Amino acid sequence: MSEKHLFTSESVTEGHPDKVADQISDSIVDAILEADPRGRVACETLVTTGLALISGEIHTQAYVDIPSLTRQVIHEIGYDDPALGFASQTSAVLTSIDEQSGDIAMGVDTGGAGDQGMMFGYACRQTDVLMPLTIHMAHLLVKKMAEVRKAGILDFLKPDGKSQVTIEYQDDHPRRLDTVLLSTQHSEDANLDEIRAGLTEQVIKPIVSRFDIDTSDYRILVNPTGRFVKGGPMADTGLTGRKIIVDTYGGFGSHGGGAFSGKDPTKVDRSASYAARHVAKNIVAAGLAESCEVQVAYAIGVVEPVSVMIDTFGSGKIKDEKLTAVVRDIFDLTPTGIIERLNLRRGIFRQTAAYGHFGREEENFTWEKLDYMDKLKSKCAG
């Protein structure tokens, strides 16, 4: 007997306060790595009305003009009007930066992990990029919303916004679109009917039409409260690392203990999560499972992971135990091995800080490459 259930994922625009904070933090990581690939960064940002506060621990030989870089990011996102309560040229930028602890550096200098923790990667066959459909569609909706805002197609849109997608699953396969929710900050003079019509025609319909599921009778919700004029950091304080489910798989699979943004790749919160996605995606793409979750765990200062686990949720072509052994044999999951394989000592991270870290087959998203499929097939056949 088939079973049906609804599942929901959300995403947010690049102008959402938490994502503003993520992008500022990752821009600082990028600037330091471009000047000093061996630099170490643990950088947090808080944004609120008229203020961006950057703090953290940084070790580098390079100089980065953090206030200027922060203002540039704020401007590029679209906060350039002081009337929004948060603008690139009128908001204060405060910094409080310390040196990275020498106690941590002792372990990282020898190739060990920069902290303890467990990290997860996930992949499934719901989309062509091997991501869950709910989060993939949610990302595309907010990205499209930003595109039409910046192009002036919907001139009432402001930077802050969210999406939410609910899909009906049957036997764990996406079958029917149930609900699309968009909430967007807008100009004072825009009326709700105008906003709903514009977003439906320019954002929702173009994205929904790209997917091969039943879209014959789905519900559209736009700004359900009826008004969203006050938004961005003026309405809601933003913090680095507060949208970790948006950053990953939208609630599918598991999530580890740490966020990604603001951290250089010696921090396994970031690099090992990318490596786990790389492993999971190649397993699914190789036809070895319909869905796959990978967990890796580390001890601070220790080179090899303390554990590796593969779970194919009963869909694997071979036993999970054997697949785990194969993965440990062909993937170098040491921090140094991950950094070198995925080429992570580069300024590539701001682009990850909005619209998800996974499922984006762009040049710098090396953890999305399907370059281990043949090795996995060969090893599993032996």
Side-chain angles (χ1 to χ4, degrees):
M1 184 176 178
S2 64
E3 295 185 2
K4 296 180 180 180
H5 68 272
L6 298 177
F7 193 89
T8 302
S9 296
E10 70 162 347
S11 186
V12 298
T13 65
E14 64 202 67
H16 185 280
D18 294 330
K19 281 290 146 200
V20 173
D22 283 345
Q23 289 168 90
I24 292 170
S25 293
D26 271 343
S27 292
I28 294 167
V29 174
D30 287 353
I32 289 173
L33 290 179
E34 285 297 309
D36 178 10
R38 297 283 171 178
R40 300 204 185 125
V41 188
C43 177
E44 315 296 335
T45 301
L46 177 150
V47 291
T48 188
T49 304
L51 173 67
L53 171 63
I54 296 94
S55 64
E57 296 74 47
I58 296 176
H59 177 78
T60 182
Q61 302 302 313
Y63 170 75
V64 173
D65 185 347
I66 291 177
S68 294
L69 182 58
T70 299
R71 295 184 188 282
Q72 178 184 336
V73 173
I74 294 169
H75 176 76
E76 290 172 354
I77 291 169
Y79 286 108
D80 51 12
D81 181 359
L84 296 176
F86 182 78
S88 56
Q89 294 306 312
T90 58
S91 294
V93 179
L94 304 181
T95 63
S96 180
I97 305 296
D98 291 314
E99 181 82 4
Q100 184 186 68
S101 167
D103 296 345
I104 296 174
M106 283 193 302
V108 178
D109 289 343
T110 58
D115 202 352
Q116 70 176 48
M118 72 289 189
M119 299 82 202
F120 291 91
Y122 181 81
C124 62
R125 292 197 173 279
Q126 293 182 30
T127 61
D128 58 357
V129 293
L130 305 184
M131 287 285 287
L133 179 54
T134 49
I135 187 65
H136 186 50
M137 189 182 293
H139 284 324
L140 292 177
L141 286 165
V142 285
K143 192 171 186 180
K144 184 69 172 177
M145 194 154 61
E147 288 173 2
V148 299
R149 169 177 63 87
K150 291 180 176 182
I153 296 170
L154 299 178
D155 58 5
F156 52 78
L157 293 181
K158 300 301 180 183
D160 195 1
K162 293 184 175 183
S163 69
Q164 190 167 282
V165 174
T166 301
I167 289 175
E168 181 181 85
Y169 284 75
Q170 184 172 352
D171 295 332
D172 294 324
H173 296 286
R175 299 300 187 196
R176 182 181 63 85
L177 181 61
D178 184 84
T179 304
V180 172
L181 164 62
L182 291 184
S183 294
T184 180
Q185 184 186 12
H186 57 85
S187 58
E188 180 81 40
D189 57 354
N191 65 67
L192 187 56
D193 289 340
E194 177 188 13
I195 296 167
R196 285 174 174 166
L199 289 177
T200 298
E201 293 301 318
Q202 297 294 332
V203 177
I204 296 174
K205 288 183 177 179
I207 296 301
V208 166
S209 66
R210 295 168 56 174
F211 296 95
D212 185 23
I213 61 170
D214 180 3
T215 58
S216 60
D217 186 28
Y218 64 96
R219 178 173 52 164
I220 295 176
L221 299 174
V222 173
N223 283 10
T225 67
R227 181 179 169 88
F228 188 179
V229 172
K230 186 176 181 180
M234 184 180 184
D236 185 12
T237 298
L239 294 169
T240 299
R242 203 159 58 173
K243 284 290 176 286
I244 56 177
I245 303 303
V246 170
D247 285 343
T248 53
Y249 308 101
F252 274 86
S254 305
H255 197 284
F260 306 152
S261 290
K263 299 175 183 178
D264 75 82
T266 66
K267 313 296 188 296
V268 283
D269 279 340
R270 171 166 239 155
S271 54
S273 295
Y274 292 171
R277 162 65 177 173
H278 187 221
V279 172
K281 187 175 183 182
N282 275 267
I283 287 171
V284 172
L288 298 173
E290 292 296 306
S291 61
C292 178
E293 181 174 274
V294 177
Q295 187 205 55
V296 288
Y298 295 84
I300 188 168
V302 178
V303 173
E304 292 288 342
V306 297
S307 69
V308 177
M309 182 276 295
I310 310 292
D311 186 354
T312 61
F313 308 99
S315 71
K317 300 300 186 287
I318 64 172
K319 291 183 177 181
D320 290 347
E321 183 179 2
K322 180 179 178 180
L323 191 52
T324 300
V326 168
V327 165
R328 297 208 70 155
D329 184 45
I330 66 175
F331 286 91
D332 184 346
L333 294 173
T334 66
T336 299
I338 292 169
I339 290 169
E340 291 178 352
R341 182 173 71 256
L342 301 180
N343 194 16
L344 297 180
R345 292 193 187 276
R346 299 177 294 146
I348 61 172
F349 296 116
R350 181 186 166 186
Q351 61 193 296
T352 70
Y355 312 120
H357 293 244
F358 307 118
R360 298 168 59 183
E361 296 179 332
E362 302 162 34
E363 181 181 358
N364 289 324
F365 287 68
T366 51
W367 48 94
E368 295 293 320
K369 291 183 177 180
L370 300 177
D371 50 354
Y372 273 69
M373 290 170 53
D374 292 340
K375 292 179 182 179
L376 283 164
K377 288 178 183 178
S378 176
K379 200 75 174 178
C380 288

